[in-house]
Structure formats: C-alpha cells, structure tokens
Amino acid sequence: MKRIGIAGTAALIAAVAPAAFCVAGSSFAKPPPGLTTKQQAAIDRYITAEMARERIPGLELGVYRHGRPLLEKGYGLANIEWGAKVTPDTVMQSGSVGKQFTATAVMMLVEEGKVGLDDSIVKYFPDAPESWKPIRVKNLLSHTSGLAEYEEGALAEPGGPFDLRLDFTDEELLKKIEALPIEYAPGAGWDYRNTNYVLLGFMVRKVTNRFYGDVLHDRIFAPLGMTRTRVISDADIIPGRAAGYEIKGGRLRNQSYVSPTFNRTADGALYFNVRDLQKWDQALYGEALLKRASLQRMWTPFVLNDGKPNSAGYGFGWGIGKVNGHKVIRHSGSWQGFTTQISRYVDDGLTVVVLANLDSDHARPGQIEHVVAGTVLPALMPTPLSPITDTDPAIAAKARRMMVAAVAGSDLSPEFVAKSGYTFKPDDGAEFRAALPRAWAASPLVLVKRSVDDKGATSSAFRVGPPGDTRVVALSTDKTGKAISFQVLADPDAR
C-alpha cells in the first residue's frame, strides 16, 4: 500500500539557479561542513549490516545539510537478476512520499485562488453523494475526511471493486470511490487514507484540465531540475530503473503486479532518486514553489473539530513530530516492493532520505534514517529500548498466542479488528518463522515500549530472542483487546 509509517511516491524547462535558494535569509555561498571519515565509515557499516538483517537488496541514501548534499550513495543491487548496482542516480518508486508533491500542487492552486481549502469537495465532484458535502479540501489534505480506504483488505484483492490487477478509467475509479462509506464526520478524527489523495489528483485535473502528473512536472519537477522524477510507467523506457522485491514465505521474489491505473494515482505513484530529492529539499528552504505561509500550513498538525491537533501530528502531505526534542517533518512510503523515508530535521537543517527496493513488511527505512541522522548529529540518535514494567501482561500473552499461531500457519483473522487490513495467506507461517529469532520460543517477551493514543488503542513493543539475535514484536490493540496491527521488526539496538 501507498502508506505512511507514522509512529509516511510532462513543458516548461526553466532552471532555477542555486542562488535562488536561501536558508533563513542566508545564501549558500559556503558549503556546509561535510561528514568526517569516521562518520561515513560508521554509516557504511551500519547500513551494510542492517541491509543484511532486513534482507534489503538495494538502498539509496541521501544526507543533506541546509539543502546541500553531504552524502548521496547507493548500496547493494538495483536489479538482482542483472547484478546491477544501486547508485545515487538509480530510480526507485516513491510510495506515499509522493503525497507531499500532490499537496504542494494543491497549495499552488490555493495561492492562485483556483481552489479554496474550505471548499466542499462536491464543488469539484458534482455527482458525489450528498454525504460528501461537509468534506472540505483541507480534510482530504489532512486525512480527516472520514472516507474509507480503497486499498483495504478484500476491496483491493481479486474480485474486489478496487482489484489492483485491473485497469479502470479515472471516471470509473471515481465512481467506485463515491460508493465507499464515510466512517465518521469530516474533521472529527484522523485516519490515514490513500483515498483522500487519489481524489486530490482528480481535483487537480478538474481545475487545470490536465493530468496531475503533468502539472507536477511543469510546476515542480522541471523548474527544480528534478530530471528523473516522474509518474510511474511500466511501458516507458526509464534508464536506471530499479526492480522492486518482496519476501513471501521466506523467499525473495519480484514485486507483485499492479495495473497501470494504480501506478498513476496521486496517492504516491512516482519515480525519483536521492539526487532529485536533494533539489526538492533545497527548494523547501525558500519560496521557489510556495510562500512561506503555505509551507507552514502544510507543516502544522491539522486541528480537529474538537480544537485539538490530530493524534498523528499530520499536516498536509507531511507528518510533524519530535525526535529527542528536535522537530522533524517527515513521511514514509511503500508500494510495489519499495519502501521510502524522508525526514527533515528542520531546526538542525538536516535531511535524511532512504529509498529501498524491498516491501514494507521487511524493510525499515525509517529506522535506518533515524540511526543515520544520529550518526551525523549525535543528539538525534535513537534512545536504546530498555525493559519497562508490564502492567498489563494480558497483552504479552496475546502476542505470544499470536506468534505461536502464526508460526503454525494458522489464520489470525479472529484476533484482528474487522478493518485491520489483515488477510490470511498460506505462506504466512513460513514468512513469520523466518522473521523471528531462531530461539524465539524459549525467550520471554520483554516489554520495551508502550503508548496509548486518544482513541484508546495501545501500542506495545516486546524484545524477544537471545543476546545477539533479537527482534522486536510490535502489537497494537484496540480498547476491546482486538489486534489492529502485528509485526516482527528488526531490533533497533542491534547495531
């Protein structure tokens, strides 16, 4: 799915001179301090080891300071079958990192008076159901519309209305989205929904009479010199394109097929690389694309109807949060065997981008990005996960029960909430066994992190395995104890 990982994806050829980009009013006359040899060696060692742990075929890393590159490097293979190596020019899929470009295009139209953030979306979709009238453009941008997820579970499986293997026209896809239910009143809650950004892409077309991808090219990519960034196409010849991979049943495989329809929607269907994203990062320090007020609106957590910021800290196309007290604006993405992360530590002038060609059930670009950021600026290094007292051992018992059942190849559907997105597959058992430490069954589940959100959902992280071979089992449950998500993750302290 083109999703976020909140705890985040053709003829104007004008070039923008580097001098047009400024940081806090200062030009880039002097390059920022570079990485030391020790820092670069530490980054190389960590990434090489983490790629082996997570079985990532290839990875692209971009580290920028105040918009200027400190490190742009490729690791591993872009294509296993050909033995082609990843370079900083390798083109990878964006996943939901592409949403920030869609949001920028919408805000450009807002600045021009062609779209209003408080407009009802029925202004742009006049045949939409009556229930859509209260939904505003700002609700789509902030994932507060209440619309259901089109990619969820059986809806996107073979036989479902959004079967990802089938082609649809934009009009057909819109009609299918209009039939989705509204889960709560617009602005009453927050739920990450790709549906919102598909609609924003359609809205851009309605307003401009042009495909949203062409608008992105002419208004953003071409002016910034982002020559390799574009909408996905399986048909076009695209030099340096990486292959995407997924692990199924413990085996590495090529990415699953997705029809061209779902590789051109505005919820995260782009190609890019770390060289182009450096130009994007540089532009965000100035007003080459948007006025500062518009950028700040995008980078401010959207306030719900109750007057409180949404629980995810989500703005327009970006998540906003803190890392060790440092402000970070970020987004992750995953799609077709690729996972991505961009994190902009704006108070520190540091941006880290990680692009990997492995599915999101196995690759952790957000974790990799965090450690790289901490290697550059030690104040950002992840805090070690230490054991804490477990005041609700029933959650650990549920996690253990689900682990045993998963390894046995059992269907875990009864353990999950109805809309978790979980679907049982015959090779789940082998895949789950491969993800766990070898001695997991004899190891206790040690609680290392727990939090409760404003909806009463509890997120727990347990370390399992003997020293030197540990993983983190993450279980999120609702107020009734049903599972929302259940994953085995690499141990971030195993470095």
Side-chain angles (χ1 to χ4, degrees):
M1 293 175 64
K2 302 162 185 168
R3 61 176 180 264
I4 191 173
I6 286 183
T9 46
L12 185 150
I13 312 292
V16 180
F21 298 105
C22 297
V23 181
S26 299
S27 71
F28 287 117
K30 293 182 179 179
L35 296 176
T36 66
T37 302
K38 185 177 180 180
Q39 284 175 314
Q40 183 152 343
I43 289 171
D44 288 345
R45 283 195 304 272
Y46 169 69
I47 287 184
T48 300
E50 196 60 33
M51 287 175 67
R53 271 192 291 269
E54 300 180 21
R55 298 179 63 187
I56 298 173
L59 183 145
E60 217 171 316
L61 175 67
V63 182
Y64 323 125
R65 200 75 197 270
H66 301 299
R68 285 292 183 89
L70 289 184
L71 180 63
E72 295 174 336
K73 189 169 182 178
Y75 301 82
L77 297 178
N79 187 296
I80 295 173
E81 291 159 319
W82 285 97
K85 294 182 179 180
V86 177
T87 76
D89 295 306
T90 298
V91 177
M92 296 201 185
Q93 292 189 18
S94 69
S96 283
V97 171
K99 286 183 170 68
Q100 58 203 250
F101 297 99
T102 301
T104 298
V106 171
M107 292 302 288
M108 287 175 164
L109 296 176
V110 170
E111 286 189 351
E112 294 166 0
K114 296 176 182 177
V115 170
L117 290 175
D118 289 310
D119 288 347
S120 168
I121 64 172
V122 299
K123 176 179 178 179
Y124 308 99
F125 306 107
D127 296 328
E130 185 76 14
S131 58
W132 281 28
K133 281 189 175 180
I135 301 174
R136 309 299 173 189
V137 171
K138 62 187 180 184
N139 296 130
L140 296 182
L141 285 163
S142 60
H143 294 297
T144 59
S145 68
L147 288 168
E149 173 58 60
Y150 81 91
E151 279 188 47
E152 189 169 70
L155 292 178
E157 295 288 334
F162 298 96
D163 185 341
L164 297 180
R165 304 173 308 166
L166 301 181
D167 263 321
F168 305 100
T169 65
D170 287 355
E171 290 71 23
E172 290 170 336
L173 191 56
L174 176 59
K175 285 296 181 186
K176 290 174 180 291
I177 290 174
E178 289 174 346
L180 290 172
I182 293 182
E183 299 174 331
Y184 51 80
W190 183 92
D191 280 292
Y192 191 82
R193 297 290 184 254
N194 292 296
T195 309
N196 295 309
Y197 275 72
V198 174
L199 290 175
L200 287 171
F202 292 161
M203 185 188 76
V204 169
R205 187 193 66 183
K206 292 261 187 179
V207 173
T208 65
N209 292 315
R210 305 185 66 213
F211 173 52
Y212 91 95
D214 294 337
V215 174
L216 294 186
H217 176 272
D218 291 354
R219 299 293 303 273
I220 301 174
F221 305 151
L224 297 184
M226 298 173 67
T227 59
R228 307 300 297 279
T229 303
R230 52 159 295 166
V231 172
I232 294 171
S233 170
D234 289 333
D236 290 353
I237 303 300
I238 299 177
R241 171 171 31 196
Y245 298 97
E246 54 191 38
I247 296 174
K248 296 291 185 183
R251 295 175 54 204
L252 193 67
R253 300 180 179 181
N254 285 305
Q255 65 191 31
S256 299
Y257 173 77
V258 171
S259 78
T261 291
F262 297 100
N263 270 335
R264 66 193 304 271
T265 50
D267 52 340
L270 300 178
Y271 289 129
F272 52 30
N273 59 28
V274 295
R275 292 206 196 280
D276 274 6
L277 289 174
Q278 177 267 322
K279 298 170 184 176
W280 168 243
D281 179 62
Q282 190 181 60
L284 294 177
Y285 282 100
E287 296 186 331
L289 299 173
L290 291 171
K291 296 175 183 176
R292 182 55 41 182
S294 295
L295 291 170
Q296 290 304 322
R297 181 70 187 267
M298 295 173 69
W299 297 336
T300 300
F302 186 80
V303 176
L304 300 178
N305 298 344
D306 62 5
K308 299 176 183 178
N310 67 85
S311 59
Y314 201 88
F316 294 168
W318 293 88
I320 302 93
K322 294 275 189 179
V323 171
N324 299 348
H326 296 243
K327 184 176 181 180
V328 61
I329 301 169
R330 59 191 170 190
H331 215 291
S332 65
S334 66
W335 185 237
Q336 274 203 296
F338 290 87
T339 48
T340 56
Q341 178 79 29
I342 179 170
S343 295
R344 305 185 71 242
Y345 298 89
V346 289
D347 293 339
D348 304 285
L350 176 68
T351 297
V352 180
V353 172
V354 175
L355 314 177
N357 59 347
L358 183 64
D359 69 273
S360 62
D361 287 337
H362 301 90
R364 303 291 166 211
Q367 176 179 306
I368 293 172
E369 167 275 308
H370 194 175
V371 173
V372 170
T375 304
V376 178
L377 294 177
L380 299 175
M381 188 61 78
T383 304
L385 296 174
S386 301
I388 59 177
T389 302
D390 193 347
T391 58
D392 191 354
I395 297 177
K398 180 181 179 69
R400 174 72 68 177
R401 184 172 68 249
M402 292 180 69
M403 290 167 67
V404 171
V407 168
S410 301
D411 185 350
L412 299 182
S413 296
E415 299 281 1
F416 282 90
V417 297
K419 293 188 176 182
S420 67
Y422 170 81
T423 53
F424 173 71
K425 296 180 178 61
D427 56 7
D428 282 351
E431 186 171 343
F432 203 83
R433 280 194 298 274
L436 286 168
R438 286 186 295 275
W440 71 270
S443 302
L445 288 175
V446 179
L447 183 67
V448 292
K449 191 171 184 179
R450 176 164 289 159
S451 62
V452 181
D453 70 15
D454 57 357
K455 296 180 181 178
T458 300
S459 297
S460 304
F462 303 92
R463 180 174 281 126
V464 63
D469 187 25
T470 55
R471 306 289 188 279
V472 171
V473 175
L475 174 63
S476 179
T477 54
D478 71 358
K479 289 186 288 188
T480 70
K482 286 280 192 178
I484 300 170
S485 64
F486 182 51
Q487 293 178 296
V488 179
L489 310 175
D491 187 340
D493 295 340
R495 57 178 185 271

